Amino acid sequence: MQVKDKVVIVTGAGSGIGAAIAKHFAKHNAKVIVSDYNAEKARNTINEIKANQGEATLILADVTKYEDIENLISKTVSVYGRLDIMVNNAGVGPKNVVRTADYTLEDWHNVIAVNQTGVFYGMQLALKQMLLQGEGNIVNIASLAGLKASRNNISYSASKFAVVGMTKSAALEYATKNIRVNAICPGYTESPLLDKLLATHSEMDQRLKSVIPMKRYGYPDEIAEAVVWIASDTTKFITGQTITLDGGTSL
C-alpha cells in the first residue's frame, strides 16, 4: 500500500485498534506519531514499532483538550514539516450499559467528549494544517453502532453516528481541496473496550457472536489493514465513505 514516508498521527494508539493501526502504518514504512493520554501504553506501541525497524514518535495528548491536539499537530509539523494522514481513533465506552432513562450524566458527557468532540478537534486542526499544505487525508474510526441502532448504549451510539455525519460533511466541504475524509466502522472487535463489556456482562459473549454471521469477533489487525488502505494513495477517488468491517453483522 502506498503510504511510504507519509507522516501519520494515530490517536488512542496505546492499545487495541489504535495500536494495531500505528503498527500497520509503520510496517508499510510510514512515519508514525503514536499519541495517547497513557504514556506507558503509548511507549509499548513505540517500542514494538522500533523493534521491527519502524519509525515512530511519541506525543502525548488528551483528545478532549483542544490545546493538547494543537500541541500534537504543531509538534508533528515541527518534527516532520507536514501532516499527511490524521487517524482519529481514540474512543471510550460508557461505564454502565443501561437503558436511556437510567443513563448517567457522567457516562453521557465522558463518551461524547472523547468520541465526538475529540474527533471534531482532531478533524478541525488537521484540516487547518492540510489546507496550508494543499493536501491531506483524514480517517475517523466510527463504528457499526454509528450505522444502526444500538440498545443500552445511547452515548456511544450518538457519538458514532456523529462521527459518520462529521466525516461526510467534511468530505463534501474539502473534496476540491485535495483532502479526503473517510470513516472506518468496525463491528464487534477484540479490544480493551469489548473486554471491559464482557468482563461485566459475560453472558453477552455468546449473544454477540450469535448475531455475527462469521461467528467470531474482528481482529484489530483486520481493522488496521482497512485504515491503511483507505489512507493510501491507491484510493485517491474515495472520500466521504463508511467502510464497514463487521463479519456480516449489518446483514
Side-chain angles (χ1 to χ4, degrees):
M1 283 180 278
Q2 297 177 30
V3 295
K4 187 178 188 300
D5 294 327
K6 298 283 189 183
V7 178
V8 185
I9 291 175
V10 183
T11 65
S15 62
I17 291 173
I21 292 169
K23 287 182 273 190
H24 268 66
F25 271 112
K27 176 183 173 182
H28 289 282
N29 300 307
K31 304 176 191 299
V32 184
I33 292 80
V34 172
S35 185
D36 203 287
Y37 73 95
N38 186 307
E40 182 180 357
K41 289 182 178 180
R43 288 192 186 98
N44 288 339
T45 301
I46 290 272
N47 291 339
E48 189 167 342
I49 288 173
K50 290 186 174 180
N52 288 287
Q53 288 71 55
E55 181 172 349
T57 300
L58 171 63
I59 304 178
L60 297 177
D62 178 345
V63 299
T64 68
K65 297 177 180 177
Y66 195 78
E67 61 273 19
D68 275 21
I69 306 304
E70 284 183 308
N71 179 67
L72 170 62
I73 292 176
S74 66
K75 278 191 174 180
T76 297
V77 175
S78 70
V79 172
Y80 292 107
R82 60 187 298 105
L83 168 60
D84 298 304
I85 301 165
M86 181 76 181
V87 182
N88 292 302
N89 165 79
V92 296
K95 292 180 181 178
N96 306 287
V97 181
V98 293
R99 293 185 179 183
T100 301
D102 302 314
Y103 221 77
T104 69
L105 294 181
E106 178 187 8
D107 274 337
W108 174 264
H109 291 301
N110 186 48
V111 172
I112 295 298
V114 176
N115 296 6
Q116 182 173 338
T117 304
V119 170
F120 166 69
Y121 290 167
M123 288 177 66
Q124 185 185 72
L125 290 164
L127 284 165
K128 289 176 186 288
Q129 174 59 32
M130 290 171 180
L131 285 168
L132 292 174
Q133 299 169 181
E135 63 179 341
N137 200 317
I138 296 174
V139 183
N140 296 323
I141 307 304
S143 171
L144 181 61
L147 300 173
K148 61 185 291 295
S150 179
R151 69 176 69 197
N152 301 336
N153 210 9
I154 193 165
S155 65
Y156 191 80
S157 182
S159 68
K160 295 302 185 178
F161 266 91
V163 169
V164 169
M166 290 190 293
T167 297
K168 291 181 178 292
S169 293
L172 186 60
E173 291 170 355
Y174 296 99
T176 62
K177 301 297 184 182
N178 204 24
I179 298 172
R180 297 192 293 122
V181 189
N182 290 288
I184 298 295
C185 297
Y188 300 111
T189 304
E190 292 183 357
S191 65
L193 201 61
L194 181 62
D195 291 343
K196 181 180 176 182
L197 175 65
L198 297 180
T200 54
H201 299 82
S202 58
E203 76 284 355
M204 290 188 71
D205 182 50
Q206 288 305 313
R207 189 187 309 170
L208 293 179
K209 287 178 180 174
S210 72
V211 301
I212 305 171
M214 288 188 179
K215 303 304 178 189
R216 69 168 177 86
Y217 301 128
Y219 303 125
D221 284 353
E222 294 171 322
I223 312 305
E225 286 282 2
V227 173
V228 176
W229 174 76
I230 199 67
S232 74
D233 286 343
T234 59
T235 58
K236 286 185 176 180
F237 202 51
I238 301 177
T239 195
Q241 300 305 303
T242 54
I243 310 298
T244 307
L245 296 91
D246 66 355
T249 305
S250 52
L251 299 176

